[in-house]
Amino acid sequence: MINASKLSRNVLPTTFLEVTKAATDRFYRSDYSCQLASSQLSIIMKTIAGSNIPGLIVGMLTLLFGLPLQTSAQQTCNLVLTGRVLNAETGEPMPYANIVIESANIGTVSDENGRYTLTDICAGDYTVVCSRVDCNHAEHTLNINAGQVFQDFHLHPHALELGTVEVKAEAIRMQAISGEEQLSGEALEATQGLNLGESLQKLPGVNTLKTGSSIAKPMVQGMQGQRVLIMNNGVRLEGQQWGLEHAPEIDPFVAEKLSVIRGAGSLRYGADALGGVILVEPKALPATGGWHGELNLAGFSQGRTGLASGILETQIGNKLPISARIQGTVKRGGNMRSPDYYLDNTGLSETNYSWAVGTQKGRWSAELYYSNFFSKLGIFSGAHIGNLTDLQNALDRGEPLETGSFTYELERPLQRIGHELFKSKVGYKTGEIGTLTLQYARQFNRRQEFDAHSGYGQVPDGLEDPEIEFEVTTHSGELNWEHKPIANLSGNLGVQVIRQVNTTDRGALIPNYESLTAGAYWAERWRHYPSPFELEAGLRYDLRQMDVGRQGQDTIGQQLDFSNFSGALGLLYKHTDWKLRLSMGTAWRAPHVNELYSEGVHHGSASYEQGNPDLMPERALNTNLGWEWLPEELPLQARLNLYYNLIDNYIFLEPRDQPELTIRGAFPAFVYKQAMARISGLDASFAWKWNEHWQWSGQTSLVRGWNRDLGDFLVFMPADRASTSLRYGAADAVEGGKSESFVQLSLQRVFRQTRTPEKGDYAPAPAGYFLIDLEAGKTFLLGQQPLQIGLAVFNLANVRYRDYLNRFRYFTDEPGRNISLRIKLPF
């Protein structure tokens, strides 16, 4: 008998694995196989170095299909068995049931909706067994000879008496009723090596606000900056995130999953999440002994960038088990290149590491976490102009006057950023109904910006004396009680306190300030099977106090107080094949210190920014309508989300009529304004897997921003965009299951942004563009060691273009073709 509880997707029996392993060992010991693998990888690396695209495509196909597979079966087995597991007495879906075809040694586990799918089945008659630990098993004899066979199982629960059993697992978080987008698994791995903003751009409704080629901030449904909160391992990221060119100080390699949530589920994290909350979630600490980990290596042709990232984890101890993990990443890149020229001083250097320890005993659990992020980012030197005439020439020319050459050296202008995070968390299970957690976190952020010009004397050659230096220290605490269903209600309530001190050690762009934020929240979700309806509601109250001190040689000396309520309602209707979501909520956001008092050159964005001390808090009324189609009879899924947001006192940066000439040069100038605004749009996506190999998917996003006061468009709204992908996959047998080799062709069309304010910008919105990406991946089995290799070409046609959401579009094109090679070695 096969232990079905240990089956994942498909399971190979021990005897088969032993035979396969022996054959594989003989294959990889042979000189021919080693020479073949070496020659193929050599061809690919030489092709990358020479940017030989036709040769690269041939190499990618060779990588995918050229090496012998580890299985020798000649029969094509592509049939599918799918269905649901239901409670025979109530009709309720039953998750985590084992479904096994014993004679074929294939098995799987039903998901949280009771659905299951078995693939790669050969034609024939089979006995299919379904079992769960608290039910009598059920079995059916089926003749599987068509492409897809449907079979439901109805299990009868029985009384179960067990001795004391301790189960340790990661809790499954319910998706928000108002909708949630996730990036995990292979989709997340395909983005490794990119920064957080670029990774999130794969999700519907998420764009990036860029500053040059290496700085990207996520924008969710037209909302950006302080309106989008980022939670790093359960801690609200607090740094100098107010700057449009201040990218999140997070290493994407720490994440097992990236999620974007909205509605009542986001109220826990803060009142100012008008656009939503981004969750950066690492995987749970290991619950078993032994040493485990992975090594990731990646290289990119753009900037000749290379990186290495590793994870090592284990669990030790019996009476008091302690789980531990260490992780680190190093990354180095040089000047980027557009299709026609190098982008001078656009390299980067990054060093990150983190560690975590945790334990659980009885009702108690505890966790400690620390991360350190350090990066140096070169700022495109062509964006720093000495006088008004040269600035206007740079805007008109369409190409930098000095294009430079390739180098890894970083010079002025430059950013140097360090961020530390320490978190401690203690949990206590309050009987059988919930868990009480207490969390404390400390963050320290230092940002230094080095100018390319000086108003007094010669600019220093080194990086010892920055022109601007900010330091912010944040202490935060949270007490949260999350309870299991009580009268069909499950939810959480808690309180939060955040204390923050900011000092501007050099420069006077923003003043020194201290702030205190306190909030209380309560959210509940109602579910009662078999009702197709689910309801959620949340309420939150926050108060914020800010003491503003010196700004350069001036003393502002003001105390600002803000307070208000936030709330959300959500409704979910579930049909057999589709779901309908409706949510409404209201949230508010106090103006940040930079929006109120900034005055001067912001070196990172190469712009002059002027605050507005008369700004009022924003208040938003958000409405979302979502539809999700998941037909049981078709291998198809589709999603549509419509949103309509009314924002009073919407704060935005508006280009001034004329650039600003300062002692440090001439810069485009922007001033903070406020207006009644409307932001609406839609996000849509689909995926259709029409057979075991081919899948077609696509997504589109439309955003409309409107200034209700002026009857005009809002500035810096994303242009319409659509993308589609065609993927061919082939399953390969590897140790412990199966892995898919694939080739994927992706097309993206971004239209010109024609909905811009009548009040002119420093340059018109750039033309639309069309990009082609090509990706391939394969898992090799070197003896018993799996090795995953991914190869990709972004902007395959080396298109020359500019993006409306890039603050440096005034001066330069986007980077051109980028070839990447990724290697993952799990152990």
Side-chain angles (χ1 to χ4, degrees):
M1 286 291 292
I2 297 175
N3 185 352
S5 64
K6 295 184 178 179
L7 292 174
S8 55
R9 186 76 177 176
N10 300 84
V11 175
L12 302 176
T14 304
T15 54
F16 184 81
L17 286 176
E18 290 174 350
V19 173
T20 304
K21 175 181 179 301
T24 303
D25 288 343
R26 289 195 298 272
F27 170 76
Y28 278 101
R29 282 196 298 267
S30 67
D31 293 336
Y32 168 76
S33 64
C34 293
Q35 293 173 0
L36 178 60
S38 175
S39 63
Q40 289 171 334
L41 292 175
S42 176
I43 291 172
I44 293 172
M45 295 305 296
K46 290 179 180 179
T47 304
I48 292 176
S51 297
N52 182 346
I53 297 305
L56 180 63
I57 296 175
V58 173
M60 294 172 74
L61 297 176
T62 304
L63 174 67
L64 178 62
F65 301 110
L67 291 182
L69 297 177
Q70 284 74 31
T71 58
S72 57
Q74 299 298 317
Q75 184 179 7
T76 300
C77 300
N78 58 3
L79 306 183
V80 176
L81 173 63
T82 186
R84 302 179 74 189
V85 181
L86 304 172
N87 188 311
E89 299 176 2
T90 67
E92 185 174 1
M94 303 200 74
Y96 318 122
N98 300 304
I99 303 92
V100 181
I101 303 178
E102 295 184 345
S103 59
N105 298 298
I106 297 175
T108 191
V109 177
S110 60
D111 64 17
E112 61 181 1
N113 296 313
R115 295 183 179 180
Y116 74 91
T117 300
L118 294 171
T119 60
D120 305 324
I121 304 173
C122 302
D125 295 325
Y126 297 98
T127 298
V128 186
V129 179
C130 179
S131 62
R132 213 174 90 148
V133 67
D134 57 347
C135 299
N136 296 321
H137 81 280
E139 63 180 53
H140 291 283
T141 300
L142 303 175
N143 177 260
I144 302 177
N145 55 18
Q148 189 169 29
V149 176
F150 297 88
Q151 179 63 55
D152 291 344
F153 289 89
H154 297 80
L155 300 183
H156 292 271
H158 60 69
L160 184 65
E161 295 183 3
L162 294 174
T164 301
V165 178
E166 183 178 4
V167 179
K168 297 181 179 180
E170 182 179 6
I172 297 177
R173 177 173 53 82
M174 292 187 297
Q175 288 194 343
I177 283 182
S178 56
E180 178 175 345
E181 301 291 345
Q182 293 185 357
L183 190 68
S184 59
E186 290 185 358
L188 180 60
E189 290 181 357
T191 69
Q192 289 182 341
L194 306 178
N195 59 47
L196 182 65
E198 293 171 325
S199 298
L200 288 166
Q201 198 172 9
K202 301 292 184 180
L203 296 175
V206 180
N207 295 282
T208 55
L209 190 64
K210 298 180 180 179
T211 304
S213 57
S214 57
I215 301 174
K217 296 195 68 170
M219 172 184 283
V220 180
Q221 294 181 343
M223 305 275 199
Q224 44 83 14
Q226 303 279 48
R227 303 178 188 92
V228 178
L229 303 186
I230 300 178
M231 302 297 297
N232 182 14
N233 193 11
V235 178
R236 172 170 165 158
L237 181 66
E238 290 288 347
Q240 302 289 349
Q241 69 268 26
W242 49 266
L244 295 180
E245 89 295 356
H246 297 174
E249 298 92 348
I250 295 178
D251 182 0
F253 279 97
V254 306
E256 182 187 41
K257 180 171 61 176
L258 300 175
S259 307
V260 180
I261 64 173
R262 294 174 291 274
S266 66
L267 286 178
R268 172 180 176 179
Y269 306 107
D272 41 357
L274 278 65
V277 178
I278 296 172
L279 304 180
V280 181
E281 303 175 85
K283 67 178 180 179
L285 288 171
T288 59
W291 291 93
H292 312 279
E294 63 182 48
L295 175 64
N296 291 278
L297 303 173
F300 298 84
S301 62
Q302 275 292 346
R304 304 177 193 177
T305 303
L307 69 85
S309 182
I311 296 176
L312 186 63
E313 58 185 17
T314 188
Q315 185 188 70
I316 58 175
N318 293 319
K319 293 184 177 180
L320 184 62
I322 297 177
S323 302
R325 174 188 298 134
I326 57 174
Q327 178 271 340
T329 301
V330 292
K331 184 177 182 179
R332 181 69 185 274
N335 285 347
M336 301 287 187
R337 180 178 172 83
S338 77
D340 300 321
Y341 50 84
Y342 279 102
L343 308 178
D344 194 33
N345 198 46
T346 53
L348 60 87
S349 175
E350 191 172 300
T351 305
N352 314 312
Y353 66 90
S354 66
W355 57 259
V357 294
T359 186
Q360 182 173 343
K361 186 70 173 179
R363 293 175 180 261
W364 291 92
S365 63
E367 178 187 349
L368 297 176
Y369 175 79
Y370 175 83
S371 67
N372 187 292
F373 178 98
F374 179 78
S375 68
K376 291 194 295 184
L377 301 173
I379 304 299
F380 175 57
S381 58
H384 284 242
I385 311 297
N387 56 66
L388 291 174
T389 301
D390 290 345
L391 174 61
Q392 190 60 50
N393 290 338
L395 295 173
D396 297 337
R397 187 166 44 245
E399 182 175 313
L401 181 62
E402 297 181 5
T403 57
S405 60
F406 179 81
T407 179
Y408 283 106
E409 294 184 10
L410 297 176
E411 300 176 348
R412 294 167 175 261
L414 175 141
Q415 291 183 357
R416 186 161 61 188
I417 308 105
H419 188 91
E420 289 183 329
L421 165 63
F422 172 77
K423 182 188 86 169
S424 62
K425 182 178 180 180
V426 177
Y428 177 75
K429 294 182 179 179
T430 54
E432 300 299 325
I433 62 172
T435 302
L436 183 68
T437 58
L438 177 64
Q439 177 175 292
Y440 164 77
R442 176 191 179 273
Q443 297 177 75
F444 175 76
N445 183 283
R446 176 185 287 121
R447 171 175 290 271
Q448 298 173 321
E449 299 189 3
F450 300 83
D451 196 4
H453 303 95
S454 174
Y456 307 100
Q458 185 177 359
V459 177
D461 294 331
L463 299 176
E464 292 80 18
D465 298 314
E467 276 61 48
I468 295 180
E469 181 173 4
F470 312 104
E471 290 185 353
V472 59
T473 302
T474 306
H475 299 270
S476 60
E478 179 184 27
L479 180 64
N480 176 74
W481 184 59
E482 184 171 352
H483 69 84
K484 299 178 181 179
I486 303 174
N488 301 315
L489 289 173
S490 58
N492 59 76
L493 65 157
V495 294
Q496 295 171 334
V497 178
I498 301 176
R499 175 68 172 171
Q500 192 170 84
V501 178
N502 180 88
T503 58
T504 303
D505 296 331
R506 291 175 180 268
L509 179 60
I510 64 171
N512 298 339
Y513 69 90
E514 297 182 8
S515 67
L516 176 65
T517 304
Y521 58 87
W522 184 16
E524 295 289 341
R525 183 166 181 170
W526 179 86
R527 296 200 308 172
H528 181 58
Y529 191 86
S531 172
F533 291 96
E534 293 185 25
L535 302 172
E536 71 175 2
L539 185 66
R540 183 183 178 102
Y541 178 78
D542 287 88
L543 57 87
R544 178 180 176 85
Q545 182 182 84
M546 183 163 57
D547 293 318
V548 184
R550 295 183 62 84
Q551 184 172 17
Q553 301 299 318
D554 301 325
T555 300
I556 297 177
Q558 287 193 5
Q559 178 175 306
L560 305 176
D561 295 282
F562 307 96
S563 62
N564 219 320
F565 283 93
S566 304
L569 294 171
L571 171 66
L572 171 65
Y573 177 81
K574 295 185 294 184
H575 188 267
T576 304
D577 292 334
W578 52 269
K579 298 178 182 179
L580 187 66
R581 308 172 189 267
L582 175 64
S583 66
M584 296 185 66
T586 179
W588 70 283
R589 183 182 76 89
H592 198 269
V593 66
N594 70 300
E595 297 166 328
L596 294 166
Y597 301 112
S598 62
E599 188 73 36
V601 176
H602 203 165
H603 302 283
S605 59
S607 63
Y608 186 95
E609 295 181 7
Q610 180 181 353
N612 183 351
D614 297 325
L615 296 177
M616 303 294 291
E618 294 179 339
R619 165 62 71 177
L621 177 62
N622 301 333
T623 304
N624 282 267
L625 178 64
W627 175 73
E628 186 175 355
W629 188 38
L630 299 168
E632 291 186 0
E633 296 79 8
L634 298 174
L636 175 67
Q637 59 179 355
R639 295 180 180 179
L640 175 65
N641 185 59
L642 307 173
Y643 55 92
Y644 187 88
N645 305 324
L646 296 176
I647 308 173
D648 293 345
N649 301 320
Y650 177 77
I651 302 171
F652 62 99
L653 267 178
E654 182 179 78
R656 287 195 344 204
D657 294 332
Q658 297 295 328
E660 184 75 16
L661 179 63
T662 74
I663 59 175
R664 298 189 182 278
F667 299 90
F670 301 84
V671 60
Y672 283 98
K673 292 289 186 69
Q674 202 159 38
M676 300 297 182
R678 181 183 70 237
I679 299 178
S680 57
L682 68 85
D683 305 317
S685 64
F686 76 92
W688 179 28
K689 189 170 185 178
W690 66 74
N691 62 32
E692 64 170 335
H693 293 301
W694 290 96
Q695 175 173 298
W696 179 34
S697 62
Q699 65 184 49
T700 186
S701 295
L702 309 178
V703 182
R704 300 291 182 265
W706 187 253
N707 187 323
R708 293 184 288 152
D709 285 342
L710 300 179
D712 200 358
F713 296 106
L714 290 175
V715 71
F716 298 135
M717 287 288 114
D720 295 345
R721 60 192 62 216
S723 62
T724 187
S725 298
L726 185 64
R727 180 187 180 101
Y728 178 85
D732 301 330
V734 296
E735 182 84 11
K738 290 197 173 184
S739 177
E740 185 184 51
S741 301
F742 73 93
V743 170
Q744 177 171 298
L745 178 68
S746 301
L747 312 176
Q748 183 185 37
R749 176 73 167 106
V750 178
F751 296 87
R752 181 171 187 166
Q753 178 57 283
T754 59
R755 291 162 293 276
T756 58
E758 289 186 5
K759 184 176 181 179
D761 198 351
Y762 291 103
Y769 55 89
F770 181 79
L771 301 179
I772 304 174
D773 298 336
L774 183 62
E775 301 174 68
K778 185 178 180 66
T779 298
F780 300 97
L781 192 62
L782 306 178
Q784 297 184 5
Q785 175 62 56
L787 177 67
Q788 301 175 19
I789 296 180
L791 190 61
V793 187
F794 304 105
N795 191 2
L796 179 67
N798 204 26
V799 173
R800 179 178 179 178
Y801 70 101
R802 299 190 182 193
D803 192 281
Y804 178 69
L805 292 181
N806 194 331
R807 294 287 295 274
F808 281 2
R809 66 179 173 85
Y810 302 129
F811 309 106
T812 183
D813 296 331
E814 297 285 333
R817 181 186 299 120
N818 191 10
I819 305 171
S820 73
L821 175 65
R822 296 181 293 103
I823 299 175
K824 180 178 179 179
L825 185 70
F827 56 89

